[in-house]
């Protein structure tokens, strides 16, 4: 029995060796023939062409079978990150006043001047319409798209002004009674709330008709690859939402960012001591700047309490409306 098993192993080994030799001889003959017929460059071109044809044939077969390829992503969108880069402390003391002073100076000092703007004089939202940026051209070509994130009914003056300019406007308001509502030819309201995470399917929704999703998920579901204007008024949820947009690289798909920030407390799920909170806020806005956004409009609400983390620091308002433009944004 042992002798028979040994013979089988020898035969199997010989067969494997013969197969290897045959493959090597075939490869040698093929390479010799191709090398005699064309140059190295021609050989490379022929291989590249054959590879491309095989890929095209595979894609055609997939489409014929009913498979649809995902839409191409923006080439400059970064992959997801785990955490933002915290900026150095404002001083060695790590004190609240130093952090607050640096932060407030940052959000009240425009980085560029917008020569032409669409300004909501009553609500003080501002959109930059300079020709050096893409908005006017997008409006002319009827490609302008606006996302407005909110948490309740509002008059939407800026949204209606952009509709009149020719933009397609999508408002996200979880308080409406129907899933989708078309208020006019170019204005839709969706019963969605934008969050910094997608819902856990294992946890039942608190409201029977409630629906929260990350902005990246909504963009994918709607088939939208870019947004000319993103307006965010999320009543203290803006910090974690902004962090999510930064970590997932969504800002590269945004032309202008209009953001209301609330400073009377840290914000939803923002933890740490008071100096840590302000450093975190400042680091988030510096990440926006690193994504090639420049601040062109800043307005503090005089009717809101003068509270900064429950204190009166530098006579700061508890609410600011800020507008940035992506200076390197190139729409698809």
């Amino acid at each position: 029995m042992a002798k028979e098993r040994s013979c089988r192993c020898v035969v199997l080994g010989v067969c494997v060796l013969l197969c290897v030799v045959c493959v090597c001889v075939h490869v040698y003959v093929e390479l010799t023939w191709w090398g005699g017929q064309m140059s190295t460059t021609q050989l490379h071109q022929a291989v590249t062409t054959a590879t491309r044809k095989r890929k095209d044939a595979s894609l055609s077969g997939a489409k014929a079978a009913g498979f649809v390829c995902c839409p191409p992503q923006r080439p400059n969108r970064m992959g997801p990150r785990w955490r933002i880069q915290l900026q150095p402390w404002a001083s060695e003391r790590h004190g609240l006043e130093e952090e607050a002073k640096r932060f407030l100076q940052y959000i009240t000092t425009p980085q560029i001047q917008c020569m032409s703007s669409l300004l909501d004089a009553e609500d003080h939202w501002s959109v930059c319409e300079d020709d050096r940026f893409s908005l006017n051209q997008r409006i002319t070509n009827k490609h302008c798209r606006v996302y407005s994130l909110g948490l309740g009914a509002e008059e939407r003056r800026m949204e209606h002004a952009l509709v009149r300019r020719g933009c397609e406007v999508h408002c996200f308001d979880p308080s409406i009674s129907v899933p989708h509502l078309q208020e006019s030819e170019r204005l839709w309201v969706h019963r969605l709330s934008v969050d910094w995470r997608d819902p856990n399917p294992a946890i039942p929704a608190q409201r029977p008709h409630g629906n929260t999703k990350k902005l990246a998920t909504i963009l994918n579901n709607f088939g939208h690859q870019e947004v000319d204007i993103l307006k965010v008024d999320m009543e203290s949820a803006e910090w974690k939402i902004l962090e999510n947009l930064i970590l997932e690289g969504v800002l590269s798909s945004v032309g202008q960012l209009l953001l209301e920030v609330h400073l009377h407390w840290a914000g939803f799920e923002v933890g740490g001591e008071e100096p840590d909170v302000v450093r975190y806020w400042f680091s988030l806005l510096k990440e926006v700047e690193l994504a090639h956004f420049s601040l062109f409009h800043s307005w503090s609400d005089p009717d809101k309490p003068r509270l900064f983390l429950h204190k009166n620091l530098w006579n700061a308002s508890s609410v600011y409306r800020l507008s940035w433009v992506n200076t390197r944004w190139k729409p698809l």
Side-chain angles (χ1 to χ4, degrees):
M1 179 65 70
K3 185 176 181 180
E4 182 180 353
R5 182 176 302 171
S6 176
C7 292
R8 288 179 178 176
C9 292
V10 171
V11 171
L12 180 61
V14 171
C15 291
V16 171
L17 180 60
L18 287 174
C19 290
V20 172
V21 171
C22 291
V23 170
C24 292
V25 170
H26 176 74
V27 171
Y28 174 78
V29 172
E30 288 291 327
L31 290 177
T32 302
W33 186 87
W34 281 100
Q37 297 295 322
M38 59 181 67
S39 65
T40 304
T41 302
Q42 292 173 324
L43 179 61
H44 175 73
Q45 292 175 348
V47 172
T48 302
T49 302
T51 303
R52 186 181 298 114
K53 288 182 177 179
R54 285 197 299 270
K55 288 183 178 179
D56 293 342
S58 299
L59 289 174
S60 300
K63 291 180 180 179
F67 297 102
V68 179
C69 182
C70 297
Q73 298 296 319
R74 291 184 64 86
N76 59 340
R77 179 177 287 188
M78 297 175 59
R81 296 156 54 191
W82 289 105
R83 61 180 63 87
I84 67 166
Q85 180 68 42
L86 289 175
Q87 293 292 312
W89 289 95
S91 71
E92 295 181 356
R93 292 181 61 250
H94 299 184
L96 174 61
E97 289 195 3
E98 292 86 354
E99 294 299 321
K101 183 178 180 180
R102 176 178 68 171
F103 174 79
L104 290 169
Q105 183 177 4
Y106 185 78
I107 67 172
T108 56
T109 307
Q111 297 164 331
I112 64 170
Q113 185 177 6
C114 185
M115 305 303 297
S116 175
S117 63
L118 174 62
L119 177 65
D120 179 353
E122 190 164 346
D123 289 337
H124 298 275
W125 294 103
S126 181
V127 171
C128 186
E129 295 185 316
D130 277 13
D131 289 336
R132 52 185 164 156
F133 306 120
S134 305
L135 183 61
N136 282 337
Q137 181 180 355
R138 298 274 291 174
I139 291 174
T140 301
N141 296 336
K142 300 188 183 303
H143 292 158
C144 173
R145 180 179 297 121
V146 179
Y147 272 28
S148 177
L149 317 183
L151 284 177
E154 55 184 25
E155 295 188 23
R156 303 191 179 100
R157 275 182 282 267
M158 175 58 78
E159 288 82 349
H160 285 287
L162 290 168
V163 166
R164 289 192 295 270
R165 292 298 310 275
C167 292
E168 167 192 320
V169 179
H170 296 267
C171 301
F172 299 88
D173 182 355
S175 67
I176 64 174
S177 58
V178 293
H180 305 282
L181 176 65
Q182 186 171 358
E183 290 191 352
S184 66
E185 182 182 357
R186 291 181 170 269
L187 193 148
W188 291 264
V189 184
H190 309 281
R191 190 174 62 198
L192 281 170
S193 178
V194 178
D195 203 348
W196 54 93
R197 63 206 158 193
D198 285 327
N200 187 337
I203 301 176
Q206 295 181 354
R207 297 193 303 270
H209 300 295
N211 197 358
T212 62
K213 295 180 180 179
K214 295 187 298 184
L215 184 59
T217 303
I218 294 174
L219 286 167
N220 184 64
N221 291 346
F222 284 18
H224 296 159
Q225 296 186 36
E226 53 200 10
V227 176
D228 295 86
I229 300 169
L230 176 62
K231 177 174 173 280
V232 182
D233 183 5
M234 294 297 291
E235 304 298 335
S236 296
E238 66 272 2
W239 297 113
K240 295 299 290 184
I241 291 174
L242 182 60
E243 180 184 49
N244 171 257
L245 300 183
I246 293 167
L247 294 180
E248 294 196 350
V250 180
L251 285 181
S252 64
S253 301
V254 176
Q256 296 190 36
L257 173 65
L258 282 54
L259 178 69
E260 181 174 280
V261 296
H262 300 83
L263 311 180
H264 60 288
W265 70 298
F268 292 106
E269 294 196 16
V270 177
E273 300 294 329
E274 291 176 338
D276 298 293
V277 169
V278 184
R279 183 190 181 201
Y280 167 76
W281 289 349
F282 178 71
S283 299
L284 280 176
L285 300 188
K286 288 295 288 185
E287 289 267 9
V288 174
E289 180 183 348
L290 290 173
H292 311 301
F293 283 79
S294 294
L295 182 69
F296 66 87
H297 172 76
S298 174
W299 175 79
S300 63
D301 193 336
D303 297 328
K304 298 295 183 180
R306 318 304 285 186
L307 289 177
F308 188 99
L309 294 179
H310 304 292
K311 299 176 175 62
N312 189 342
L313 288 179
W314 312 104
N315 198 34
S317 172
S318 57
V319 174
Y320 286 79
R321 286 180 178 165
L322 312 172
S323 298
W324 284 271
V325 60
N326 187 340
T327 58
R328 295 191 186 181
W329 191 57
K330 298 186 184 304
L332 294 176

